[in-house]
Structures are given as structure tokens and as C-alpha cells.
């Protein structure tokens, strides 16, 4: 674990450092390009902080291991890419249902399937949101710099602890594999999960305003049942009752929905008077932002909008922007965020610059902006 | 904005050269720097390259269309980027690895692999080529490169790499 200071490092290393700074207690994973550096770095560095590192037999087991570790009271994380993330989604659903705080890093690459292991893509945006079955809400963050790989990893742990839920850090190879300067600050604000008081009996229901129940740990000496089946506040199964299902699943949704204003975050620039707003996220948002600057300098009324938290989406702000401006979505996939942006701004108002395999230059997106504004 | 592309074959230290250059500009000289790497999915072999883009302001360009400088360590890399040859400011070529060299004035040939062999370590040809760059690129401080080598390269190879840097610099000074 590095001391506070400025470093020139890869996004994946910054992510691993962010996890340790957040108090990572266990990393379990299986190597995969372009996420392996996170694991390599933690294999060496994490045990020196007192944390545990395990290479599992596959991604299914990795997700299971971090879920179990979280129930022993540790902050836990895994890191993977699309093919591994697909394998994790079943156990990820279990973690949502059992309200298990943990962090899953998906350094996205060009898919589908094995695709192109070393090339960036953002085709997993919808999978992250809807990959598991059943009704659930989730949190995913989208970093666009090495600094944000560090900061958003810390933030992912904080959201996971605060809302007792898995959080997906939805990075991509474009950011995981670039090197930039990043700063490890002297002081980092950390959130720790709500722990039960002596008399608490309900660890799966909460009447609190934030809807988050306290979380005990195995070894605390309490009676504790953790199940993916529908369960009552005390954890016991109820596989047929209307009220238990309704109360549990509505609360799981409300936990994210009602706290939306605390969770969502975006960057925007010169949106108010813009005729066209470029919406982008992840590594693609870097040349997209550069193209907007260039367009502004040449007198075009163009704005820039980037969701930093991609799920839940900043839908209200997107709707507002879509009312006054045309939208150009720039992304490294054909379907990544498109349906969500279209849902918010309307298809008649929306233009798309999609690209596969590699990042474009600023000039390429600038030409696209000019084309749309003709 | 400074735009440098270093290209070679897997195992030639192409990416390491990019890291050293990026470290020198970012940490040594306070530039905003983006350093990227590209390599094939093959375990060993294949073209690999590293781009270094530096500026005094935030760098949002993550990919290079036309580099100012291209450092070429392998014939197939040059073949892949032949269209860029006439457009870039200068090519720095390892003439031991690259034989089919284009007829153009904007290039400097250096037997980097032989110089590295004379230093007792063929792996430092990449740093010999960086030494040439430090002579040709006015914004790049030679001392910042030296310090970067000390921070990036394992201690036992430090002296060897610094010698390689000096040899490259001297060669370019006399070219």
C-alpha cells in the first residue's frame, strides 16, 4: 500500500490502491485481461496490510468468496472483465437479495463472449444493471481517469457499506490500462456498515428512513440465517407469503431509489445555452470532452454531460437537458447506455456516435459534432 | 502538446520505454501525461506499442493520430505505420532490427541493439533510443529521464539503463 503522494500509474493499480485505502479485508478473484493488474498488485500488497488474498478456481467461486467474507465483517472485492462478470451474475443476485456489501470491478473489454481481450468496450452497461434475475436496484460507477479509478473505488466501498449492497465499478480497458498522475490524499473519508445493537433481532428489515438494516457478522454470537429465498426481517424463509415478498423487494428497491439524490453524480459543462449536448462516460468521455472544448472554441454552442454514477442514471437531469438541446451520445459500444439515454431524452432528439475496438481522436468526434449541428 | 509513439515487438521493452518517458514528463517535469499501451492477445509475440501524450493542461486525447516522434524497434511495426512516416516530425529507428528503411529525411538511424549488446544487455536498446529522443525533443529534460529510470527500473539494472541513455544521447549529438 502506497503512502499519500503523487504517482504515475495505471488505472488498474490506482483501483487496487483505492481498495486498500478503503480498508479492503479480502480480495478473491480469477485473472482476466484487462483486469488482471488489480489482482497482481493486490496479491503482493494486500497481505502486507493484514488483508487476505485468494486466487479462486473461477469467477463463480470468486463472487461466492467475497459474499461470504463480507458476512464475516470484512470489506471485500473482486475484479474481472465481461466473461468473468457473466459468471458472477448468479451469485451477485444472491448478494443483492441478502444485502451483502461488496465491490465488483468490471474492467470492460470488447465483447460479446471472449471478444477482444485487450481492447476497450462498454457493452456491459445494461448487463451490470439487469444481469441478475428478479426486481432489484443497483449502484454502478463509471470512472474516466486514473484518479477516478482510485477515488471511485473508495466511493464504491462507501456506497456498499452505507447502503448494504454490492456496488459495481464499471471501468473499461481504456482507463484500466492508461497511465496518468494520480494523488493518494492524506485523509480519506470512509463509511462503515451499520452494526446491530445488543437487542436488535431484525437484520433484514428496517423502518429507518434510509431503509438499511444493521448487519451482524458470523462470529458475533448471534443467531443468523442468510438466504437468497424471500425472508422475513429475522432472516427466516417465507417462500410463498405475499406480504414478506412485497415488503422485502419494495424495500430493496426503495433503498436505492429513495437515496438516489445522495448517490447520483455527474459532470456537466456549458449545458445551459447549448444547442447540442454530448453525453459520454468512461474512457470515451475523455476525447468527447476534448471535442466539446474544440467545438466551443470554434463558436459552436455545444455542452458536455457525463454521468459519474451510471446506475442509478441521472434521468431527471438528462430529461431536462433533452428538453432544450439535441443530444449526441458517444460510447464505445452499440447498445451500452443507449436505451437509457433514449428513454430519458426521446429517440427523435438523439444522435449517436458509437465505436468499437478502440478510442477515437478528439478530431473524429469533433467532425461528428459538426455533422449533427449542420 | 507532445506526442510520441514507441513501437516494437513483444519483449523489446516498448511499453517500459513509454513508462519511463511518461514518468519523466509527469513526475519529473510536472506535465499532464497520458501513456497508453497496446499489445496483441497473444501470450508472447506480436506488435506492441506505447503512446505518450503530454501537455501543460489536462490531456483528453487518449490516442495519437499523427505522432511528433516515432521510435521504431522492429520492422513489422514500421510496416504497420508506413503511412505516418512522412507526416511525423522525426523517426528514430533501431537500424539493427529494421532493414527496409524508407527514403525520407526526417529520420535518424541508430544501431541501438548493437550499442545495447556492447553494454552487455540487449534489453536496454529501448533506453538507447530514449537517449536519442532526449537530444531531439527540446521539452524533454535529460535529467528527468535519468531520475525516471531510477524510479521505474529495478535497482540492479539501473546503472546499465543509465549508460544506455547516455550512449543514445551521445550518438544523437554526433549524428
Amino acid at each position: 500500500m502506497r503512502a499519500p503522494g503523487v504517482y504515475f500509474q495505471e488505472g488498474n493499480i490506482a483501483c487496487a490502491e483505492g481498495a486498500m485505502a478503503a480498508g479492503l479485508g479480502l480480495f478473491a478473484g480469477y485473472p482476466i485481461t484487462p483486469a488482471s493488474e488489480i489482482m497482481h498488485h493486490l496479491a503482493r500488497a494486500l497481505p502486507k496490510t493484514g488483508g487476505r488474498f485468494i486466487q479462486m478456481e473461477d469467477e463463480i467461486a470468486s463472487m461466492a468468496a467475497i459474499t461470504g467474507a463480507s458476512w464475516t465483517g470484512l470489506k471485500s472485492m473482486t475484479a474481472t472483465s465481461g466473461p468473468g462478470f457473466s459468471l458472477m451474475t448468479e451469485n451477485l443476485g444472491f448478494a443483492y437479495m441478502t444485502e451483502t456489501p461488496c465491490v465488483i470491478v468490471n474492467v470492460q473489454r470488447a465483447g460479446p463472449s471472449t471478444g477482444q481481450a485487450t481492447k476497450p468496450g462498454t457493452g456491459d452497461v445494461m448487463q451490470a444493471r439487469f444481469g441478475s434475475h428478479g426486481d432489484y436496484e443497483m449502484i454502478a460507477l463509471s470512472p474516466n481517469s486514473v484518479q477516478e479509478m482510485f477515488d471511485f473505488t473508495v466511493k464504491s466501498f462507501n456506497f456498499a457499506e452505507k447502503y448494504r449492497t454490492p456496488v459495481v465499478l464499471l471501468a473499461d480497458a481504456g482507463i484500466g490500462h492508461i497511465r496518468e498522475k494520480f494523488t493518494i490524499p492524506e485523509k480519506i473519508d470512509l463509511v462503515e456498515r451499520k452494526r446491530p445493537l445488543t437487542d436488535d433481532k431484525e437484520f433484514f428489515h428496517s423502518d429507518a428512513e434510509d431503509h438499511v438494516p444493521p448487519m451482524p457478522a458470523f462470529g458475533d454470537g448471534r443467531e443468523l440465517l442468510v438466504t437468497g429465498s424471500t425472508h422475513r426481517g429475522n432472516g427466516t424463509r417465507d417462500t410463498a407469503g405475499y406480504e414478506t415478498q412485497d415488503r422485502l423487494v419494495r424495500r430493496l428497491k426503495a433503498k436505492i431509489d429513495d437515496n438516489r439524490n445522495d448517490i447520483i453524480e455527474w459532470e456537466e459543462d456549458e449545458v445551459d445555452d447549448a444547442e447540442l449536448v454530448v453525453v459520454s462516460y468512461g474512457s470515451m468521455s475523455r476525447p468527447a470532452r476534448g471535442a466539446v472544448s474544440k467545438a466551443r472554441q470554434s463558436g459552436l454552442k455545444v455542452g458536455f454531460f457525463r454521468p459519474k454514477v451510471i446506475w442509478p442514471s441521472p434521468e431527471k437531469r438528462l430529461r431536462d437537458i433533452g428538453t432544450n438541446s439535441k443530444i449526441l451520445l458517444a460510447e464505445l459500444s452499440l447498445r451500452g447506455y443507449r436505451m437509457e439515454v433514449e428513454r430519458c431524452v426521446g429517440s427523435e432528439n438523439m444522435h449517436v456516435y458509437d465505436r468499437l475496438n478502440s478510442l477515437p481522436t478528439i478530431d473524429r468526434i469533433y467532425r461528428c459534432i459538426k455533422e449533427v449541428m449542420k | 502538446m507532445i506526442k510520441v509513439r514507441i513501437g516494437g515487438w513483444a519483449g523489446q521493452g516498448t511499453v517500459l520505454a513509454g513508462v519511463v518517458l511518461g514518468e519523466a514528463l509527469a513526475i519529473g517535469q510536472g506535465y499532464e501525461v497520458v501513456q497508453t499501451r497496446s499489445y496483441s492477445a497473444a501470450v508472447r509475440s506480436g506488435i506492441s506499442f506505447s503512446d505518450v501524450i503530454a501537455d501543460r493542461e489536462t490531456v483528453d486525447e487518449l490516442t495519437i493520430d499523427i505522432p511528433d516522434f516515432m521510435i521504431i524497434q522492429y520492422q513489422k511495426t514500421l510496416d504497420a505505420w508506413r503511412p505516418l512516416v512522412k507526416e511525423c516530425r522525426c523517426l528514430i529507428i533501431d537500424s539493427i532490427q529494421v532493414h527496409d528503411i524508407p527514403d525520407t529525411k526526417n529520420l535518424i538511424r541508430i544501431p541501438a541493439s548493437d550499442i545495447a549488446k556492447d553494454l552487455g544487455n540487449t534489453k536496454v536498446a529501448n533506453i538507447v533510443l530514449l537517449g536519442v529522443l532526449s537530444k531531439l525533443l527540446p521539452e524533454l529534460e535529460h535529467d528527468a529521464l535519468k531520475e525516471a529510470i531510477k524510479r521505474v527500473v529495478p535497482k540492479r539494472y539501473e546503472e546499465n539503463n543509465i549508460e544506455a541513455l547516455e550512449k543514445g544521447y551521445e550518438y544523437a549529438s554526433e549524428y
Side-chain angles (χ1 to χ4, degrees):
Chain A
M1 190 170 157
R2 307 249 162 101
V6 181
Y7 299 93
F8 182 64
Q9 257 306 349
E10 259 189 4
N12 281 344
I13 306 298
C15 170
E17 287 292 331
M20 288 186 285
L24 178 64
L26 176 125
F27 180 94
Y30 189 80
I32 184 169
T33 304
S36 298
E37 294 81 7
I38 298 172
M39 192 169 171
H40 291 163
H41 191 66
L42 288 171
R44 284 188 295 265
L46 184 58
K48 291 179 190 158
T49 69
R52 301 287 179 93
F53 172 92
I54 313 174
Q55 176 170 333
M56 300 302 292
E57 64 267 41
D58 61 26
E59 288 86 349
I60 300 171
S62 303
M63 188 63 222
I66 68 163
T67 306
S70 185
W71 279 100
T72 70
L74 296 176
K75 292 184 181 179
S76 62
M77 179 173 105
T78 188
T80 188
S81 189
F85 193 65
S86 292
L87 290 174
M88 287 177 184
T89 49
E90 183 187 3
N91 281 334
L92 181 55
F94 177 85
Y96 285 124
M97 184 60 151
T98 53
E99 300 177 74
T100 307
C102 53
V103 174
I104 300 94
V105 183
N106 177 356
V107 186
Q108 297 168 91
R109 66 193 216 184
S113 189
T114 324
Q116 294 180 316
T118 61
K119 299 297 177 188
T122 53
D124 308 349
V125 173
M126 285 291 167
Q127 183 196 27
R129 172 64 189 85
F130 296 107
S132 188
H133 53 274
D135 290 314
Y136 67 99
E137 295 293 323
M138 55 84 67
I139 301 171
L141 288 80
S142 170
N144 89 339
S145 65
V146 171
Q147 184 67 53
E148 285 191 353
M149 282 296 272
F150 180 89
D151 295 344
F152 285 14
T153 303
V154 174
K155 204 182 268 272
S156 295
F157 275 102
N158 283 349
F159 280 144
E161 294 289 312
K162 187 171 184 182
Y163 295 112
R164 218 186 115 178
T165 186
V167 173
V168 177
L169 182 69
L170 207 50
D172 63 76
I175 292 304
H177 274 179
I178 62 167
R179 253 168 221 261
E180 293 182 296
K181 268 192 284 198
F182 85 103
T183 302
I184 300 180
E186 292 282 346
K187 189 178 173 301
I188 298 169
D189 293 328
L190 298 180
V191 177
E192 307 297 331
R193 67 192 65 173
K194 219 187 274 179
R195 301 277 279 148
L197 303 170
T198 317
D199 296 339
D200 282 342
K201 294 268 187 298
E202 297 221 311
F203 312 128
F204 298 94
H205 180 71
S206 171
D207 291 320
E209 204 177 324
D210 64 0
H211 311 293
V212 181
M215 183 174 174
F218 284 113
D220 281 359
R222 294 164 189 276
E223 203 171 300
L224 177 60
L225 176 64
V226 182
T227 173
S229 295
T230 295
H231 41 273
R232 300 180 186 89
N234 64 3
T236 55
R237 296 167 78 226
D238 179 2
T239 56
Y242 166 82
E243 266 181 30
T244 313
Q245 170 75 0
D246 191 73
R247 189 171 80 150
L248 173 61
V249 178
R250 284 190 193 281
R251 185 180 57 78
L252 291 182
K253 182 170 177 347
K255 197 165 72 165
I256 307 300
D257 267 358
D258 292 359
N259 294 305
R260 181 177 281 261
N261 288 341
D262 178 53
I263 299 167
I264 54 174
E265 190 182 347
W266 67 79
E267 170 191 349
E268 66 172 55
D269 191 30
E270 308 209 63
V271 162
D272 291 340
D273 69 333
E275 290 166 22
L276 175 77
V277 173
V278 177
V279 175
S280 193
Y281 59 92
S283 59
M284 178 69 112
S285 67
R286 295 286 291 277
R289 186 169 64 189
V292 169
S293 273
K294 187 171 176 173
R296 276 269 160 188
Q297 279 162 19
S298 65
L300 296 171
K301 287 194 166 177
V302 186
F304 177 70
F305 184 86
R306 170 174 76 97
K308 294 179 173 182
V309 173
I310 200 160
W311 300 116
S313 79
E315 56 179 284
K316 185 173 179 305
R317 186 62 187 139
L318 273 171
R319 269 201 193 100
D320 290 347
I321 292 170
T323 310
N324 302 314
S325 321
K326 281 199 244 181
I327 301 291
L328 172 64
L329 172 68
E331 62 179 341
L332 259 177
S333 70
L334 305 182
R335 275 285 168 199
Y337 208 32
R338 185 170 176 163
M339 283 162 73
E340 178 64 8
V341 177
E342 214 165 65
R343 185 178 75 82
C344 297
V345 306
S347 55
E348 67 288 344
N349 202 18
M350 182 159 151
H351 303 263
V352 175
Y353 172 72
D354 51 25
R355 184 180 165 105
L356 302 173
N357 168 273
S358 55
L359 287 166
T361 58
I362 286 174
D363 256 345
R364 179 66 195 84
I365 304 178
Y366 172 66
R367 289 204 302 276
C368 187
I369 290 171
K370 283 206 298 189
E371 191 70 24
V372 171
M373 292 190 82
K374 251 189 211 166
Chain B
M1 187 178 272
I2 300 166
K3 294 187 279 185
V4 179
R5 173 166 290 179
I6 307 167
W9 195 251
Q12 285 188 307
T14 304
V15 174
L16 180 68
V19 173
V20 169
L21 176 59
E23 172 88 18
L25 289 164
I27 304 295
Q29 296 185 236
Y31 276 90
E32 294 303 318
V33 178
V34 166
Q35 182 252 331
T36 66
R37 59 179 161 124
S38 182
Y39 55 97
S40 77
V43 176
R44 286 183 181 82
S45 85
I47 286 177
S48 68
F49 69 95
S50 178
D51 286 348
V52 177
I53 308 168
D55 205 346
R56 286 295 177 193
E57 293 167 3
T58 305
V59 177
D60 275 339
E61 188 80 276
L62 303 189
T63 185
I64 293 180
D65 48 356
I66 302 163
D68 301 322
F69 288 86
M70 279 210 290
I71 296 177
I72 310 274
Q73 294 182 269
Y74 200 73
Q75 183 69 53
K76 282 189 181 168
T77 329
L78 178 63
D79 297 343
W81 297 329
R82 217 165 266 274
L84 296 177
V85 164
K86 290 229 157 107
E87 295 195 66
C88 75
R89 247 165 72 194
C90 184
L91 263 85
I92 302 166
I93 289 180
D94 183 342
S95 56
I96 304 302
Q97 304 291 342
V98 183
H99 305 292
D100 181 12
I101 296 173
D103 181 23
T104 171
K105 284 184 181 154
N106 59 336
L107 67 80
I108 175 162
R109 304 159 195 242
I110 169 165
S113 290
D114 277 359
I115 293 171
K117 204 196 284 176
D118 290 345
L119 292 171
N121 182 0
T122 51
K123 296 275 182 205
V124 297
N126 57 347
I127 304 296
V128 174
L129 293 161
L130 272 192
V132 176
L133 182 72
S134 77
K135 175 68 188 167
L136 300 181
L137 178 61
E139 294 93 333
L140 178 61
E141 292 169 11
H142 191 69
D143 283 347
L145 267 179
K146 258 199 243 178
E147 291 305 312
I149 287 172
K150 288 180 190 168
R151 284 194 298 271
V152 172
V153 171
K155 200 84 193 144
R156 63 186 185 280
Y157 299 120
E158 185 184 303
E159 206 185 315
N160 210 210
N161 276 275
I162 288 177
E163 271 181 308
L165 186 77
E166 299 299 352
K167 287 283 179 199
Y169 186 85
E170 282 166 25
Y171 191 93
S173 305
E174 291 160 9
Y175 195 74

